[in-house]
């Protein structure tokens, strides 16, 4: 019995280069046309890859070329990335400015309606009541002294009228936008653009600082996260899911490191754009003045009014972004195990609902942080902001939450009745002062008597962004919702 022949001797190593050479052309005869002979040419196919470059920003894929640092390619890549980030930040900056100004705006309960609105209502009321007033004045007694004249306004030692309300046009500073006429982010954007002391360019205040902050955060946070994984997790734990504490801690550390930039950005947006009332000329000047006048670098990082809101704001966002979808997804009715790979649409819907639920917790913390950032510390003067801010500073996070809820109002825009209607209301209240039903009806106006709505300024814009993210995820085929959209 003969053994099986070995295939070792039949193996031929492949050639180093793949070439395709067509057979040689046939010998030309007199009957063969010359055009056909000219078309028969040889072509050589090599293994060298084509130049793979998008806008000349990606390197070549040919590994046989010597690897060296291409300075021009690196510069072009950095410039293109910077322009893309700057453009994307500029597109959303007007909405960010409107949201931040709404968050720091102080509206006390005793704030009346704007005087322009009251003046228009009084003129309309007087137009319809001219004939009635003439008849009443004909039968009135000239010697009667029932006419009530307005009390004189208090003045200071120099004769200037003292400001008693935040909405008095006569005593309101020229750099402050009138309070009570904006109900949402878009209303604030239009009001800033139309205000004489601000204008359209004020919608992009702090753009450079915001762009630098976003670029540094998106690059430093993954670096800190990978460093913490390499330090606290061993290589044997690669098959297991990493703990939730490390990503949250990386966000907190990155937010803490970049907190001075966030403080400068808030101050630049909040300050007045008028030249004679402006405090900072730019981000570097703002950082220099804050360091010199407000306690140095240690105060910027470790002051309790800045450190505690920074930790809460940067820690709750990633924590709720991960936990909320995991808690909501099993309760949507799609099954006990909902994952991004098995049910991408259901998981995207759970992420959107989770982001909406997270806003109820993170938005008040963000509002308190913005108000504490606007407050000046040390020997510096109070910042002249383009919106009304609280004249007495807050003492901390809990104190700010308490005073916002108890001393502010939420029924925006503020509407006020004319003088004639107010007189009728006052007479009715005097006649029904002993009526329990009237007292119960007045107490039901909770928006007028509470400032809970002030903690959620800009929530409608956030909800709209969440809906857009859901539509893009559903119809765009993406597997995961970007958490950066929720930080607008």
């Amino acid at each position: 019995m003969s053994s099986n022949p070995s295939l070792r001797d039949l193996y031929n190593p492949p050639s180093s280069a793949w070439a395709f050479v067509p057979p040689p052309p046939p010998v030309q005869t007199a009957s063969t046309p010359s055009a056909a002979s000219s078309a028969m040419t040889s072509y050589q196919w090599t293994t060298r890859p084509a130049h793979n470059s998008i806008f000349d920003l990606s390197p070549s894929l040919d590994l046989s070329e010597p690897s060296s640092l291409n300075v021009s390619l690196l510069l072009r890549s950095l410039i293109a990335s910077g322009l893309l980030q700057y453009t994307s930040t500029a597109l959303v900056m007007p909405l960010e400015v409107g949201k931040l100004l709404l968050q720091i705006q102080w509206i006390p309960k005793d704030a009346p309606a704007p005087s322009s609105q009251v003046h228009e209502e009084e003129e309309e009321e007087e137009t319809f009541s001219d004939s009635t007033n003439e008849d009443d004045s004909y039968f009135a007694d000239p010697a009667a002294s029932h006419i009530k004249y307005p009390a004189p306004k208090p003045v200071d030692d120099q004769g200037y009228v003292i400001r008693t309300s935040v909405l008095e046009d006569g005593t309101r500073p020229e750099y402050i936008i009138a309070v009570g006429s904006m109900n949402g982010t878009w209303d604030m954007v239009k009001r800033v653009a139309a205000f004489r002391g601000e204008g359209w360019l004020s919608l992009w205040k702090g753009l450079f600082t915001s762009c630098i902050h976003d670029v540094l955060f998106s690059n430093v946070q993954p670096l800190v996260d990978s460093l913490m994984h390499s330090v606290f997790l061993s290589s044997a734990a690669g098959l297991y899911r990493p703990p939730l504490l490390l990503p949250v801690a990386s966000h907190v550390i990155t937010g803490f490191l970049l907190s001075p930039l966030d403080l400068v950005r808030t101050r630049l947006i909040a300050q007045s754009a008028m030249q004679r009332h402006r405090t900072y000329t730019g981000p570097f000047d703002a950082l220099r003045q804050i360091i010199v006048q407000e306690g140095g670098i240690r105060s910027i990082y470790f002051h309790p009014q800045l450190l505690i809101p920074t930790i809460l704001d940067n820690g709750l966002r990633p924590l709720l972004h991960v936990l909320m979808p995991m808690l909501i997804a099993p309760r949507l009715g799609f099954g006990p195990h909902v994952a991004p790979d098995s049910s991408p649409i259901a998981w995207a819907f759970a992420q959107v609902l989770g982001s909406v639920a997270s806003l109820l917790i993170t938005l008040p913390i963000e509002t308190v942080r913005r108000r504490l950032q606007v407050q000046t510390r040390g020997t510096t003067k109070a910042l002249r902001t383009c919106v009304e801010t609280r004249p007495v500073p807050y003492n901390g996070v809990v104190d700010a939450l308490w005073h916002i809820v108890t001393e502010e109002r939420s029924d925006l825009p503020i509407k006020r009745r004319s003088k004639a209607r107010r007189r009728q209301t006052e007479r009715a209240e005097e006649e029904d002062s002993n009526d329990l039903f009237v007292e119960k009806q007045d107490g039901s106006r909770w928006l007028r008597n509470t400032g809970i709505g002030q903690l959620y300024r800009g929530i409608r814009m956030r909800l709209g962004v969440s809906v857009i993210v859901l539509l893009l995820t559903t119809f765009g085929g993406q597997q995961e919702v970007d958490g950066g959209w929720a930080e607008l």
Side-chain angles (χ1 to χ4, degrees):
M1 181 176 180
S2 61
S3 60
N4 294 331
S6 177
L7 299 178
R8 188 184 303 275
D9 298 333
L10 301 179
Y11 173 74
N12 293 323
S15 59
S16 60
W18 174 45
F20 173 75
V21 181
V27 181
Q28 183 179 0
T29 59
S31 60
T32 305
S34 60
S37 61
S38 61
M40 302 297 292
T41 56
S42 299
Y43 296 96
Q44 185 85 17
W45 287 17
T46 63
T47 58
R48 183 177 181 179
H51 180 63
N52 185 13
S53 177
I54 302 175
F55 302 110
D56 291 334
L57 296 178
S58 62
S60 176
L61 298 179
D62 189 6
L63 301 179
S64 62
E65 296 181 358
S67 60
S68 61
L69 179 62
N70 192 344
V71 180
S72 62
L73 178 62
L74 178 62
L75 291 178
R76 289 198 304 267
S77 302
L78 292 177
I79 292 174
S81 178
L83 290 177
L84 181 61
Q85 181 65 38
Y86 192 83
T87 304
S88 61
T89 306
L91 291 177
V92 300
M93 199 64 197
L95 297 178
E96 178 65 24
V97 170
K99 178 179 68 69
L100 191 143
L101 294 180
L102 281 177
Q103 289 177 336
I104 67 174
Q105 189 179 40
W106 179 64
I107 307 178
K109 292 180 181 180
D110 58 348
S115 59
S116 60
Q117 177 185 356
V118 175
H119 182 67
E120 294 176 359
E121 293 181 355
E122 290 176 357
E123 289 182 352
E124 181 180 359
E125 188 71 22
E126 291 176 358
T127 303
F128 290 101
S129 61
D130 284 341
S131 59
T132 306
N133 293 335
E134 291 177 359
D135 297 337
D136 295 341
S137 62
Y138 180 79
F139 295 101
D141 185 7
S145 59
H146 65 278
I147 301 176
K148 296 181 180 180
Y149 295 96
K153 296 183 178 180
V155 295
D156 56 6
D157 297 337
Q158 299 179 355
Y160 291 99
V161 178
I162 299 176
R163 191 184 188 193
T164 58
S165 177
V166 296
L167 284 177
E168 291 181 354
D169 288 340
T171 57
R172 177 170 53 86
E174 60 177 352
Y175 56 86
I176 293 181
I177 302 174
V179 174
S181 59
M182 291 77 65
N183 189 25
T185 304
W186 184 245
D187 293 337
M188 177 61 78
V189 170
K190 294 187 295 184
R191 193 70 181 87
V192 170
F195 188 61
R196 182 187 61 179
E198 296 296 325
W200 286 100
L201 294 180
S202 297
L203 298 177
W204 285 273
K205 292 189 296 185
L207 174 59
F208 179 74
T209 309
S210 299
C211 183
I212 296 299
H213 178 272
D214 295 341
V215 170
L216 291 178
F217 196 94
S218 60
N219 289 276
V220 173
Q221 190 274 328
L223 180 63
V224 174
D225 185 69
S226 61
L227 180 62
M228 295 183 66
H229 277 74
S230 62
V231 172
F232 295 100
L233 294 181
S234 61
S235 59
L239 299 178
Y240 299 97
R241 187 172 183 177
L244 182 62
L245 182 62
L246 295 184
V248 175
S250 65
H251 279 81
V252 172
I253 293 175
T254 307
F256 170 76
L257 295 176
L258 301 180
S259 58
L261 286 178
D262 192 75
L263 175 63
V264 169
R265 183 182 71 95
T266 303
R267 296 280 184 91
L268 292 177
I269 295 176
Q271 74 170 353
S272 174
M274 302 182 70
Q275 187 69 28
R276 57 181 174 272
H277 300 293
R278 186 184 304 172
T279 305
Y280 311 116
T281 58
F284 298 102
D285 179 66
L287 186 61
R288 181 187 61 83
Q289 291 191 32
I290 293 173
I291 293 176
V292 172
Q293 301 176 0
E294 300 188 21
I297 299 180
R298 179 182 178 86
S299 177
I300 292 179
Y301 280 106
F302 296 101
H303 196 282
Q305 296 182 4
L306 298 176
L307 177 61
I308 297 176
T310 299
I311 295 176
L312 293 177
D313 191 20
N314 291 280
L316 289 177
R317 289 179 185 274
L319 180 63
L320 297 177
H321 180 72
V322 177
L323 287 181
M324 284 298 180
M326 298 173 58
L327 298 176
I328 295 177
R331 294 170 175 81
L332 293 177
F334 294 100
H337 303 287
V338 179
D341 299 331
S342 60
S343 302
I345 297 178
W347 182 258
F349 190 68
Q351 281 192 320
V352 172
L353 292 181
S355 63
V356 172
S358 301
L359 287 178
L360 301 178
I361 302 176
T362 59
L363 202 54
I365 300 299
E366 181 184 351
T367 301
V368 170
R369 186 188 182 192
R370 299 306 178 204
R371 296 204 179 192
L372 293 176
Q373 286 178 339
V374 171
Q375 294 182 178
T376 56
R377 283 158 286 273
T379 60
T380 183
K381 297 181 180 179
L383 184 67
R384 293 186 175 181
T385 58
C386 59
V387 294
E388 196 71 42
T389 55
R390 191 170 186 261
V392 180
Y394 301 105
N395 296 323
V397 177
V398 179
D399 182 71
L401 288 172
W402 172 256
H403 282 93
I404 290 174
V405 174
T406 56
E407 72 180 15
E408 297 190 29
R409 59 190 298 176
S410 305
D411 54 338
L412 298 181
I414 301 174
K415 295 182 180 180
R416 189 181 178 185
R417 298 174 182 177
S418 61
K419 287 185 177 180
R421 295 180 181 177
R422 287 200 305 271
R423 293 194 207 102
Q424 295 177 1
T425 304
E426 290 175 359
R427 290 195 220 101
E429 289 179 354
E430 291 177 359
E431 294 175 358
D432 300 334
S433 59
N434 297 325
D435 193 350
L436 297 178
F437 176 75
V438 176
E439 295 180 0
K440 187 181 296 184
Q441 187 177 7
D442 293 339
S444 63
R445 300 179 57 187
W446 66 276
L447 287 177
R448 172 66 174 82
N449 300 321
T450 183
I452 294 179
Q454 290 292 99
L455 297 174
Y456 294 97
R457 295 302 175 193
I459 190 172
R460 289 185 294 181
M461 183 190 70
R462 301 285 188 89
L463 294 178
V465 170
S466 299
V467 173
I468 293 175
V469 171
L470 175 62
L471 295 177
L472 291 177
T473 307
T474 303
F475 298 102
Q478 299 180 0
Q479 297 292 330
E480 186 174 355
V481 179
D482 187 6
W485 285 86
E487 298 180 1
L488 288 175

